[in-house]
PDB file of all heavy atoms in Angstrom:
ATOM      1  N   PHE A 140     -17.274   2.688  -7.479  1.00  0.00           N
ATOM      2  CA  PHE A 140     -18.543   2.580  -8.188  1.00  0.00           C
ATOM      3  C   PHE A 140     -19.343   1.417  -7.618  1.00  0.00           C
ATOM      4  O   PHE A 140     -18.769   0.368  -7.286  1.00  0.00           O
ATOM      5  CB  PHE A 140     -18.308   2.296  -9.679  1.00  0.00           C
ATOM      6  CG  PHE A 140     -17.656   3.412 -10.421  1.00  0.00           C
ATOM      7  CD1 PHE A 140     -16.280   3.414 -10.626  1.00  0.00           C
ATOM      8  CD2 PHE A 140     -18.418   4.463 -10.926  1.00  0.00           C
ATOM      9  CE1 PHE A 140     -15.668   4.458 -11.314  1.00  0.00           C
ATOM     10  CE2 PHE A 140     -17.807   5.502 -11.620  1.00  0.00           C
ATOM     11  CZ  PHE A 140     -16.432   5.508 -11.817  1.00  0.00           C
ATOM     12  N   PRO A 141     -20.682   1.559  -7.547  1.00  0.00           N
ATOM     13  CA  PRO A 141     -21.501   0.387  -7.227  1.00  0.00           C
ATOM     14  C   PRO A 141     -21.205  -0.700  -8.261  1.00  0.00           C
ATOM     15  O   PRO A 141     -20.873  -0.396  -9.410  1.00  0.00           O
ATOM     16  CB  PRO A 141     -22.940   0.906  -7.369  1.00  0.00           C
ATOM     17  CG  PRO A 141     -22.829   2.397  -7.232  1.00  0.00           C
ATOM     18  CD  PRO A 141     -21.475   2.764  -7.777  1.00  0.00           C
ATOM     19  N   LEU A 142     -21.321  -1.951  -7.859  1.00  0.00           N
ATOM     20  CA  LEU A 142     -20.948  -3.069  -8.729  1.00  0.00           C
ATOM     21  C   LEU A 142     -21.607  -2.983 -10.102  1.00  0.00           C
ATOM     22  O   LEU A 142     -20.926  -3.120 -11.127  1.00  0.00           O
ATOM     23  CB  LEU A 142     -21.264  -4.406  -8.052  1.00  0.00           C
ATOM     24  CG  LEU A 142     -20.975  -5.668  -8.857  1.00  0.00           C
ATOM     25  CD1 LEU A 142     -19.520  -5.723  -9.318  1.00  0.00           C
ATOM     26  CD2 LEU A 142     -21.315  -6.904  -8.024  1.00  0.00           C
ATOM     27  N   ASP A 143     -22.909  -2.757 -10.156  1.00  0.00           N
ATOM     28  CA  ASP A 143     -23.587  -2.688 -11.457  1.00  0.00           C
ATOM     29  C   ASP A 143     -23.023  -1.577 -12.332  1.00  0.00           C
ATOM     30  O   ASP A 143     -22.832  -1.755 -13.536  1.00  0.00           O
ATOM     31  CB  ASP A 143     -25.098  -2.487 -11.276  1.00  0.00           C
ATOM     32  CG  ASP A 143     -25.801  -3.727 -10.733  1.00  0.00           C
ATOM     33  OD1 ASP A 143     -25.181  -4.816 -10.783  1.00  0.00           O
ATOM     34  OD2 ASP A 143     -26.943  -3.613 -10.264  1.00  0.00           O
ATOM     35  N   GLU A 144     -22.749  -0.424 -11.729  1.00  0.00           N
ATOM     36  CA  GLU A 144     -22.195   0.692 -12.499  1.00  0.00           C
ATOM     37  C   GLU A 144     -20.759   0.406 -12.930  1.00  0.00           C
ATOM     38  O   GLU A 144     -20.344   0.782 -14.025  1.00  0.00           O
ATOM     39  CB  GLU A 144     -22.263   1.982 -11.686  1.00  0.00           C
ATOM     40  CG  GLU A 144     -21.891   3.202 -12.495  1.00  0.00           C
ATOM     41  CD  GLU A 144     -22.012   4.498 -11.723  1.00  0.00           C
ATOM     42  OE1 GLU A 144     -22.703   4.535 -10.679  1.00  0.00           O
ATOM     43  OE2 GLU A 144     -21.398   5.485 -12.168  1.00  0.00           O
ATOM     44  N   ALA A 145     -19.988  -0.267 -12.078  1.00  0.00           N
ATOM     45  CA  ALA A 145     -18.608  -0.634 -12.439  1.00  0.00           C
ATOM     46  C   ALA A 145     -18.609  -1.542 -13.663  1.00  0.00           C
ATOM     47  O   ALA A 145     -17.774  -1.384 -14.564  1.00  0.00           O
ATOM     48  CB  ALA A 145     -17.913  -1.312 -11.261  1.00  0.00           C
ATOM     49  N   ILE A 146     -19.566  -2.474 -13.717  1.00  0.00           N
ATOM     50  CA  ILE A 146     -19.668  -3.368 -14.875  1.00  0.00           C
ATOM     51  C   ILE A 146     -19.952  -2.553 -16.130  1.00  0.00           C
ATOM     52  O   ILE A 146     -19.337  -2.762 -17.169  1.00  0.00           O
ATOM     53  CB  ILE A 146     -20.742  -4.452 -14.642  1.00  0.00           C
ATOM     54  CG1 ILE A 146     -20.280  -5.415 -13.540  1.00  0.00           C
ATOM     55  CG2 ILE A 146     -21.040  -5.216 -15.933  1.00  0.00           C
ATOM     56  CD1 ILE A 146     -21.356  -6.358 -13.034  1.00  0.00           C
ATOM     57  N   GLU A 147     -20.863  -1.611 -16.027  1.00  0.00           N
ATOM     58  CA  GLU A 147     -21.197  -0.762 -17.180  1.00  0.00           C
ATOM     59  C   GLU A 147     -20.039   0.147 -17.565  1.00  0.00           C
ATOM     60  O   GLU A 147     -19.805   0.395 -18.747  1.00  0.00           O
ATOM     61  CB  GLU A 147     -22.420   0.098 -16.864  1.00  0.00           C
ATOM     62  CG  GLU A 147     -23.706  -0.678 -16.755  1.00  0.00           C
ATOM     63  CD  GLU A 147     -24.865   0.200 -16.325  1.00  0.00           C
ATOM     64  OE1 GLU A 147     -24.784   1.440 -16.474  1.00  0.00           O
ATOM     65  OE2 GLU A 147     -25.862  -0.359 -15.829  1.00  0.00           O
ATOM     66  N   ARG A 148     -19.324   0.670 -16.583  1.00  0.00           N
ATOM     67  CA  ARG A 148     -18.270   1.664 -16.820  1.00  0.00           C
ATOM     68  C   ARG A 148     -16.991   1.047 -17.368  1.00  0.00           C
ATOM     69  O   ARG A 148     -16.256   1.701 -18.103  1.00  0.00           O
ATOM     70  CB  ARG A 148     -17.990   2.387 -15.498  1.00  0.00           C
ATOM     71  CG  ARG A 148     -16.995   3.494 -15.544  1.00  0.00           C
ATOM     72  CD  ARG A 148     -17.493   4.756 -16.213  1.00  0.00           C
ATOM     73  NE  ARG A 148     -18.650   5.323 -15.600  1.00  0.00           N
ATOM     74  CZ  ARG A 148     -18.692   6.530 -15.053  1.00  0.00           C
ATOM     75  NH1 ARG A 148     -17.613   7.265 -15.016  1.00  0.00           N
ATOM     76  NH2 ARG A 148     -19.805   6.984 -14.551  1.00  0.00           N
ATOM     77  N   ALA A 149     -16.690  -0.201 -17.012  1.00  0.00           N
ATOM     78  CA  ALA A 149     -15.450  -0.846 -17.466  1.00  0.00           C
ATOM     79  C   ALA A 149     -15.392  -0.827 -18.992  1.00  0.00           C
ATOM     80  O   ALA A 149     -16.333  -1.241 -19.671  1.00  0.00           O
ATOM     81  CB  ALA A 149     -15.363  -2.274 -16.938  1.00  0.00           C
ATOM     82  N   SER A 150     -14.280  -0.361 -19.522  1.00  0.00           N
ATOM     83  CA  SER A 150     -14.148  -0.152 -20.964  1.00  0.00           C
ATOM     84  C   SER A 150     -13.956  -1.433 -21.754  1.00  0.00           C
ATOM     85  O   SER A 150     -14.335  -1.506 -22.916  1.00  0.00           O
ATOM     86  CB  SER A 150     -12.981   0.794 -21.245  1.00  0.00           C
ATOM     87  OG  SER A 150     -13.224   2.054 -20.661  1.00  0.00           O
ATOM     88  N   HIS A 151     -13.355  -2.447 -21.137  1.00  0.00           N
ATOM     89  CA  HIS A 151     -13.032  -3.670 -21.874  1.00  0.00           C
ATOM     90  C   HIS A 151     -13.990  -4.806 -21.502  1.00  0.00           C
ATOM     91  O   HIS A 151     -14.268  -5.049 -20.328  1.00  0.00           O
ATOM     92  CB  HIS A 151     -11.585  -4.097 -21.609  1.00  0.00           C
ATOM     93  CG  HIS A 151     -10.598  -3.098 -22.099  1.00  0.00           C
ATOM     94  ND1 HIS A 151     -10.337  -2.897 -23.432  1.00  0.00           N
ATOM     95  CD2 HIS A 151      -9.822  -2.214 -21.422  1.00  0.00           C
ATOM     96  CE1 HIS A 151      -9.438  -1.949 -23.567  1.00  0.00           C
ATOM     97  NE2 HIS A 151      -9.112  -1.505 -22.362  1.00  0.00           N
ATOM     98  N   ARG A 152     -14.459  -5.504 -22.517  1.00  0.00           N
ATOM     99  CA  ARG A 152     -15.381  -6.619 -22.340  1.00  0.00           C
ATOM    100  C   ARG A 152     -14.846  -7.654 -21.355  1.00  0.00           C
ATOM    101  O   ARG A 152     -15.579  -8.150 -20.494  1.00  0.00           O
ATOM    102  CB  ARG A 152     -15.658  -7.288 -23.702  1.00  0.00           C
ATOM    103  CG  ARG A 152     -16.544  -8.534 -23.620  1.00  0.00           C
ATOM    104  CD  ARG A 152     -16.600  -9.289 -24.942  1.00  0.00           C
ATOM    105  NE  ARG A 152     -15.308  -9.601 -25.503  1.00  0.00           N
ATOM    106  CZ  ARG A 152     -14.514 -10.616 -25.121  1.00  0.00           C
ATOM    107  NH1 ARG A 152     -14.916 -11.430 -24.169  1.00  0.00           N
ATOM    108  NH2 ARG A 152     -13.352 -10.825 -25.693  1.00  0.00           N
ATOM    109  N   THR A 153     -13.562  -7.974 -21.467  1.00  0.00           N
ATOM    110  CA  THR A 153     -12.991  -9.012 -20.597  1.00  0.00           C
ATOM    111  C   THR A 153     -13.021  -8.590 -19.127  1.00  0.00           C
ATOM    112  O   THR A 153     -13.229  -9.422 -18.250  1.00  0.00           O
ATOM    113  CB  THR A 153     -11.556  -9.356 -21.029  1.00  0.00           C
ATOM    114  OG1 THR A 153     -10.785  -8.150 -21.099  1.00  0.00           O
ATOM    115  CG2 THR A 153     -11.533 -10.078 -22.361  1.00  0.00           C
ATOM    116  N   GLU A 154     -12.827  -7.305 -18.854  1.00  0.00           N
ATOM    117  CA  GLU A 154     -12.891  -6.841 -17.468  1.00  0.00           C
ATOM    118  C   GLU A 154     -14.335  -6.798 -16.968  1.00  0.00           C
ATOM    119  O   GLU A 154     -14.596  -7.048 -15.794  1.00  0.00           O
ATOM    120  CB  GLU A 154     -12.196  -5.496 -17.320  1.00  0.00           C
ATOM    121  CG  GLU A 154     -10.689  -5.631 -17.507  1.00  0.00           C
ATOM    122  CD  GLU A 154      -9.913  -4.370 -17.197  1.00  0.00           C
ATOM    123  OE1 GLU A 154     -10.510  -3.339 -16.816  1.00  0.00           O
ATOM    124  OE2 GLU A 154      -8.678  -4.420 -17.330  1.00  0.00           O
ATOM    125  N   ARG A 155     -15.283  -6.518 -17.857  1.00  0.00           N
ATOM    126  CA  ARG A 155     -16.696  -6.594 -17.463  1.00  0.00           C
ATOM    127  C   ARG A 155     -17.037  -8.033 -17.075  1.00  0.00           C
ATOM    128  O   ARG A 155     -17.778  -8.266 -16.119  1.00  0.00           O
ATOM    129  CB  ARG A 155     -17.601  -6.094 -18.591  1.00  0.00           C
ATOM    130  CG  ARG A 155     -17.511  -4.582 -18.804  1.00  0.00           C
ATOM    131  CD  ARG A 155     -18.588  -4.042 -19.725  1.00  0.00           C
ATOM    132  NE  ARG A 155     -18.541  -4.571 -21.075  1.00  0.00           N
ATOM    133  CZ  ARG A 155     -17.819  -4.061 -22.077  1.00  0.00           C
ATOM    134  NH1 ARG A 155     -17.055  -3.000 -21.877  1.00  0.00           N
ATOM    135  NH2 ARG A 155     -17.857  -4.607 -23.280  1.00  0.00           N
TER     136      ARG A 155
END
Side-chain angles (χ1 to χ4, degrees):
F140 293 96
L142 178 56
D143 289 344
E144 188 177 341
I146 292 169
E147 291 175 20
R148 183 73 59 118
S150 298
H151 296 288
R152 176 190 52 80
T153 53
E154 291 188 0
R155 289 191 298 272

